[in-house]
Amino acid sequence: MKPERILTVEASDSLNFLLYVHNYAKQEKHCYPYIPGNPWNLQEQSILRPLLQQLWNEILADSTYPSLPIDHQKERFRSLFCDEISFEYCLDTFYSWWGSMAGQMAIERFVDQDSHNSLYTLFLLTNKEQLTINLLYENDILGSPIVDNQLVLSLRETFVREEMITTMQDRLTLKGNR
């Protein structure tokens, strides 16, 4: 009997938190979150950028982490901040947005049924038994866009179905053998 093939589409707490921290560090008015006054004490850019990339790739490489709530892996993210208070305040503001109707739920519902069907059809054409598509609220992919059975798509990459299909095909064929 052939094992069941499983496709999961979700908005990862971990990856979106890394993106949230990255956007905060940029302090650009058009990036969410933009918080004037810069109240959180992050690592210097020369340390922060490589650390974000490293954490991103580690999270994708371990299939349990992208969907594991941040509260269960806080130690992993503390190193992004210079002090505990900054980390806790950042986490609180992330969760106040992420846990609301405008956060994780909105991102996961953004991909409509037709897009889900297209993604599933593409998944069936691969040799993978399982695939998790992690949705991002913003366009910056901070590390690898695919590691093993974890693929990353930003919401913008899902706007036009044909582009979404092309992006997913490219990621699965170019890096799917990792």
Side-chain angles (χ1 to χ4, degrees):
M1 180 177 217
K2 192 171 180 176
E4 185 178 350
R5 297 179 76 190
I6 300 170
L7 174 68
T8 306
V9 179
E10 63 187 15
S12 161
D13 288 16
S14 303
L15 297 177
N16 280 287
F17 180 70
L18 291 175
L19 193 54
Y20 187 84
V21 171
H22 168 74
N23 281 355
Y24 172 78
K26 290 194 302 189
Q27 281 295 302
E28 295 175 6
K29 288 185 179 181
H30 68 280
C31 288
Y32 182 78
Y34 171 70
I35 303 173
N38 207 7
W40 305 326
N41 196 4
L42 295 174
Q43 296 290 343
E44 293 179 28
Q45 284 294 334
S46 62
I47 296 170
L48 184 64
R49 287 190 181 274
L51 190 54
L52 286 167
Q53 183 178 16
Q54 175 191 340
L55 287 170
W56 180 282
N57 291 333
E58 285 175 7
I59 287 166
L60 275 183
D62 186 338
S63 62
T64 59
Y65 282 113
S67 57
L68 190 64
I70 294 170
D71 285 342
H72 297 292
Q73 51 180 333
K74 277 184 167 184
E75 289 308 312
R76 174 172 284 212
F77 299 106
R78 285 186 203 287
S79 60
L80 298 169
F81 298 83
C82 294
D83 60 76
E84 184 67 21
I85 293 171
S86 293
F87 173 61
E88 290 297 332
Y89 282 163
C90 180
L91 200 55
D92 287 347
T93 61
F94 174 76
Y95 272 133
S96 69
W97 162 67
W98 192 246
S100 73
M101 298 288 282
Q104 183 178 21
M105 185 184 304
I107 292 166
E108 288 178 343
R109 298 203 188 270
F110 188 83
V111 178
D112 65 11
Q113 189 61 42
D114 288 339
S115 294
H116 270 279
N117 291 340
S118 297
L119 291 171
Y120 189 72
T121 300
L122 278 173
F123 165 64
L124 291 177
L125 296 174
T126 71
N127 60 355
K128 295 187 176 295
E129 295 301 320
Q130 293 185 336
L131 180 66
T132 299
I133 297 174
N134 297 285
L135 299 172
L136 299 178
Y137 80 93
E138 187 68 65
N139 296 324
D140 292 331
I141 294 178
L142 304 177
S144 179
I146 184 168
V147 175
D148 295 326
N149 295 325
Q150 300 285 329
L151 183 132
V152 177
L153 284 176
S154 70
L155 288 186
R156 182 171 288 158
E157 292 172 328
T158 67
F159 283 168
V160 178
R161 188 172 311 127
E162 292 77 18
E163 290 177 21
M164 176 187 71
I165 291 169
T166 301
T167 300
M168 185 174 163
Q169 285 175 322
D170 290 347
R171 288 187 183 151
L172 286 171
T173 56
L174 292 177
K175 299 187 180 186
N177 294 325
R178 282 187 161 190

